[in-house]
Each structure stands twice: as C-alpha cells, then as structure tokens.
Amino acid sequence: MKLEQQRMPAVTNDRFRLHYHLMPPQGWMNDPNGFVYFQGYYHLFYQYHPYGVEWGPMHWGHARSQDLLHWENLPPALAPDSEADESGCFSGSAIVKGNRLFLIYTGHHVPDESKPDDFWQTQNVAVSDDGIHFYKLATNPVIETPPADNSQHFRDPKVFERDGQYYLVLGSQLAATQTGRALLYQSTNLVDWEYQGVITAASTASEAGFMWECPDFFRLNGQDVLLLSPQGIEATEKENLNIYQTSYLAGQFDFQTLDYQHGNLQELDHGHDFYAAQTMLAPDGRRIVVGWMDMWETEFPEQADGWAGAMTLPRELTWRAGQLCMLPVAEVTQLRTQQVIDQKWHGTERNLAVPDAQHLELHLHTKLASWQGSQLTLQFQAGDQQLQVTYHKSQHEIIVTRAGQDAQRFAKVQPQAELDLQIWTDTSSVEIFVNHGEAVFSERFYPLIAPEITLVADAPVTVQLTGYQLH
C-alpha cells in the first residue's frame, strides 16, 4: 500500500491534549528534528508516523511558531518516498544558507522487512525556499557510507557553521567494541562532506552506551558541549534510570587536531520523560533546547485517543557552576492569564486551591537556614494518579515519585541557603525546575480530573508561593 493511500488515525478524545506544548495533530511523534529560525519563524520538525499511533515508517512532521509557545501545524516536510530513504526519514537537523533552508537527515534502508535489524543508513539533504515545501536532492545521499570501522548504526546528523565552514556531528557505533561515539564531518557547501574523525567515544557500553543517538555540538560560555542520547548505560541506584538517557560532555575541543578534553558524562534532565534533545541558536543569541517528553518502552495512554508523544517546553540553556542549567524560555510569561496564588505561608501542611491545576505555573521559594525540618514535599493527587516532588535537606536531594512501577527519579543540588522550585503543568505533563534550572525533571502525568496540590513539611516552614493560570 502506498503511504499516501493509508488512513490516518483521528483524535477521538481531547482528555490528554496539551495546551501549550507541541504535539502531533494525530499519529505518533518522537525525536525533535531541524530546530531552526527561518524567515521570521521558529521551525521545529519531528519524527512522525502519521498513519498510526505507534512508531512506524518515519516522516518529518513540521510546525512553526513566532513565540516558541503557540505552534502552527504544517504539512509533513519529508516522507520516505525516495531510494535514498525508502524505509524511513530518520532524525536530523536544519541550517539556513543563502535564505534557503537545508534539512540534513538520515535515510533508513531495510532491504527485507522480515529482518529489521539488517539495515543500513545514509545521510541526505532536502531544501526549501519558503520553509514549507521541500525537495530532496537528486544526488542524495550526500554521505553514503560510514567509516570502515563503524557498524551500521550511523545516524542523526546535527549541522552547524563555524568560521565559515560547515560541520556536522553524527551518532554512531564502533563495530569492534559495539560502543557509542560521535563523528565529525566538514563541508563548504552542505553537499560535499569530508570525514574528519572521531570527536570522542564511549569507554565501555555499560558506562557510556552502546550507541550514541541524536548528538549536538555547540559552544556555550566558553565550553564546547557535546549533547547526546546514549543507549545502554547501566543504571545505578539513582542515576541513568531511564532505558535511554540524554547526557552531555563539556570541555575544550580543537577542530584542527580533534582533541577533546572533557569531563564526565552528566544527565541533562532527571525525569522519566526526556530524550533526543536538540538545540538551536536563537536570533538573540540564546541557546534553546527542546526534548521529546516521553520515553521508549513505556506506556502512552493517549494512544487510545489517536495520538502519541509531545515535546517539552523550549528551554534556555546556560552554563553555571560547572554544569548545564535549563529554564523555560522567557516567552512563557505570555501564557499567564491571571495570578491565582500570591502568599507567604507558614506551617506544615497547605492545600493549594487553584481554578485549574492542570494548566499552572507554580513558584515555591523558601529560606532553609531557619527551617528546622528535613523534608518538604509538593504533591499532585488525582485519583490513582499521583506525583510528588520531595526535597531532602540533609542530602541536598530532590526525589520525584509518581504512581506505579519504576516510580522514582533523583537529583542532587548544590548546598544553598534557599530552595527554589518552578513547576509548569499542562494537561498531561509536569516540568519541574529546581534552583533556577540546576536540576530538571520532565514528566508525563495523566490525571483525568484536576489534581489537588498539597504542600507538606515535617516541621513548620515559611514559604513564598506564587501561581499563574495558563492558557
């Protein structure tokens, strides 16, 4: 059956549809792709299966926005309809050159559908003059084969410009050891690419992953940051608890020698639902990141309604105190419709009554020095759906707990005199930012009724609470 003859699922229920996050009009969404600013709009593409609510032949879905919050759905930009991508248009990125928009993506090739693991991957280019209609180069693929020592895992090109040259970083796997690595290519025209070598690689699969997906490479506040999604890191008691991670390395990279002096791999987001993050440089110089707000091999309750998957709020990345920090972009203040909480409260238990707890921006601030307690919890409860954010003072630790199996996620924060929590709720999501983005948790959360929000402390605490209703 030809792709265009297949029927698309319909969204049959709005109960989990988000108000201010990008989600598919219907069908399946995963990795963000091609995050770019072009002709007055932020464009965000994504892995998209329009003909089902599960992962399938990958297209590039497409939306654009002028404020990073309100997204206009556009026709899919790419479909697997050429010899260069007949089994899927996998992840990639975008760049503007000469007032034209270039997409660089992975073509997936599976000669025998009964053997899905017997595949090969190439890198392709599509071009647009208006940011809506795209044509693929007749000369695709632009990178046909991986390096000789690579396995068939060879995908997710992230393109960038530096000193008048174009570069792209590719996710890959060293065949001999089955370990992840990031490759670097260089070009003068975005079409003819020359392999430069390996930026850096995993030491072992258990410590750093058997495959590195969705790499991104950028400079931020003097640091060369390699953002990646490693697969197969062995979980410890409190780290790398998702099946796949989104992590980063930071240090100094020499583009001439390919010497990369970097620190240890660190998780970017500690929540249950964050993967395949991609960044872009905004016109005003901000480094903005967005991630897929879901996780592989987990439940998607919205599949029953004809769709699956969502993106996080776009977040500004900063480098502070030796680590990447994230906060929602400043534009989020435009979502506020009215202030519903503004109070200084002292006590041990407080119910926060708001008109609509599913579309809320909530700020909690407290000074820790005068507090005699050790544990402070903010709880969202709606029937059997529960999500708790707990701060443990003595361990300087945040624990997020939600109902069901695999319940907890953890993050340490630096010892400070104050605790600051900023939380954004949407219909089926909660995003938690601790101490101005030092620790972040992205969570899908599926209440069928508006949750009750309760603040509980094990000793009287003084808290400044601020809340805004969002649209």
Side-chain angles (χ1 to χ4, degrees):
M1 181 185 291
K2 290 185 178 180
L3 291 171
E4 61 269 18
Q5 294 176 334
Q6 296 186 46
R7 295 182 62 180
M8 294 184 178
V11 174
T12 57
N13 194 319
D14 288 338
R15 59 186 174 163
F16 299 133
R17 296 289 280 177
L18 298 148
H19 284 199
Y20 57 90
H21 290 77
L22 180 60
M23 57 188 171
Q26 40 64 235
W28 167 275
M29 165 192 279
N30 59 282
D31 306 1
N33 298 152
F35 194 18
V36 71
Y37 188 82
F38 180 64
Q39 294 183 357
Y41 289 90
Y42 293 95
H43 290 257
L44 186 54
F45 304 82
Y46 52 90
Q47 292 288 275
Y48 181 43
H49 183 211
Y51 304 110
V53 296
E54 297 177 333
W55 188 93
M58 282 292 98
H59 297 54
W60 272 37
H62 185 194
R64 68 181 182 180
S65 173
Q66 291 182 307
D67 61 6
L68 291 166
L69 303 170
H70 303 95
W71 294 94
E72 172 192 1
N73 285 307
L74 296 171
L78 301 174
D81 56 10
S82 74
E83 287 186 10
D85 54 29
E86 72 279 354
S87 303
C89 298
F90 276 20
S91 287
S93 55
I95 195 168
V96 178
K97 177 178 182 286
N99 207 34
R100 305 176 84 196
L101 184 58
F102 286 71
L103 307 183
I104 301 185
Y105 69 98
T106 295
H108 192 58
H109 309 268
V110 183
D112 183 349
E113 290 187 7
S114 69
K115 301 175 181 177
D117 293 330
D118 182 15
F119 63 83
W120 49 287
Q121 296 176 327
T122 59
Q123 315 313 320
N124 305 311
V125 170
V127 184
S128 174
D129 292 310
D130 63 2
I132 298 175
H133 305 90
F134 292 84
Y135 66 88
K136 300 172 183 177
L137 297 191
T139 51
N140 280 335
V142 297
I143 303 177
E144 191 165 5
T145 55
D149 61 350
N150 213 77
S151 76
Q152 83 258 45
H153 292 280
F154 179 61
R155 56 183 175 268
D156 309 339
K158 180 60 164 65
V159 64
F160 59 97
E161 186 178 1
R162 182 183 180 275
D163 296 337
Q165 298 289 313
Y166 296 103
Y167 293 89
L168 66 78
V169 56
L170 266 166
S172 78
Q173 181 188 67
L174 179 63
T177 56
Q178 303 252 300
T179 48
R181 60 183 188 170
L183 310 178
L184 188 69
Y185 286 75
Q186 183 179 356
S187 174
T188 58
N189 59 10
L190 297 174
V191 176
D192 302 299
W193 291 95
E194 183 179 335
Y195 177 53
Q196 301 296 293
V198 179
I199 296 175
T200 191
S203 49
T204 64
S206 61
E207 289 180 356
F210 64 78
M211 169 60 188
W212 285 2
E213 290 197 316
C214 304
D216 198 338
F217 203 38
F218 55 90
R219 192 160 179 82
L220 183 65
N221 195 26
Q223 296 291 315
D224 293 312
V225 179
L226 178 64
L227 181 63
L228 58 137
S229 291
Q231 298 180 305
I233 295 179
E234 210 168 275
T236 64
E237 184 185 357
K238 294 184 176 181
E239 295 180 325
N240 299 306
L241 296 175
N242 292 338
I243 183 172
Y244 302 137
Q245 316 308 319
T246 299
S247 308
Y248 67 92
L249 300 165
Q252 301 299 317
F253 182 69
D254 188 319
F255 278 80
Q256 302 304 315
T257 64
L258 303 191
D259 178 54
Y260 189 24
Q261 297 294 321
H262 58 74
N264 295 325
L265 206 58
Q266 298 186 64
E267 286 185 83
L268 180 60
D269 186 298
H270 300 270
H272 288 82
D273 297 296
F274 189 85
Y275 192 68
Q278 187 171 109
T279 78
M280 60 93 69
L281 194 62
D284 60 9
R286 289 177 296 169
R287 177 63 60 175
I288 299 175
V289 64
V290 67
W292 182 42
M293 195 165 49
D294 285 291
M295 183 51 58
W296 297 108
E297 299 186 26
T298 57
E299 289 185 23
F300 293 78
E302 69 267 33
Q303 285 176 324
D305 303 334
W307 67 286
M311 296 298 166
T312 64
L313 275 173
R315 303 162 180 181
E316 182 178 357
L317 280 176
T318 55
W319 181 264
R320 191 173 76 242
Q323 69 164 91
L324 282 180
C325 298
M326 295 189 288
L327 278 177
V329 292
E331 288 88 339
V332 293
T333 58
Q334 300 171 28
L335 295 169
R336 297 172 179 172
T337 58
Q338 62 174 324
Q339 187 166 359
V340 291
I341 304 173
D342 183 15
Q343 60 183 248
K344 195 168 190 175
W345 169 77
H346 181 82
T348 57
E349 184 168 340
R350 173 83 165 115
N351 183 266
L352 303 182
V354 294
D356 180 6
Q358 283 182 276
H359 307 99
L360 182 68
E361 175 188 346
L362 180 62
H363 295 230
L364 181 154
H365 188 88
T366 184
K367 291 180 168 58
L368 298 171
S370 58
W371 179 42
Q372 301 303 309
S374 61
Q375 187 170 307
L376 181 68
T377 296
L378 191 67
Q379 177 175 291
F380 296 80
Q381 180 82 43
D384 60 355
Q385 294 291 305
Q386 184 184 86
L387 187 142
Q388 292 182 340
V389 184
T390 300
Y391 174 68
H392 290 271
K393 183 179 177 182
S394 59
Q395 288 90 26
H396 311 290
E397 185 175 52
I398 298 284
I399 302 177
V400 171
T401 308
R402 65 184 190 190
Q405 297 180 326
D406 184 33
Q408 292 189 314
R409 292 292 182 268
F410 307 84
K412 290 274 192 180
V413 292
Q414 294 297 316
Q416 291 191 13
E418 300 177 354
L419 172 68
D420 187 87
L421 289 180
Q422 299 178 49
I423 297 174
W424 275 261
T425 71
D426 204 343
T427 317
S428 55
S429 71
V430 180
E431 291 165 276
I432 303 150
F433 301 83
V434 186
N435 290 353
H436 309 288
E438 181 186 345
V440 181
F441 297 81
S442 298
E443 302 284 339
R444 294 301 299 274
F445 179 58
Y446 295 92
L448 287 170
I449 56 173
E452 291 188 358
I453 306 175
T454 307
L455 181 62
V456 180
D458 61 358
V461 63
T462 301
V463 176
Q464 179 64 47
L465 294 166
T466 310
Y468 298 92
Q469 211 67 71
L470 306 177
H471 67 86

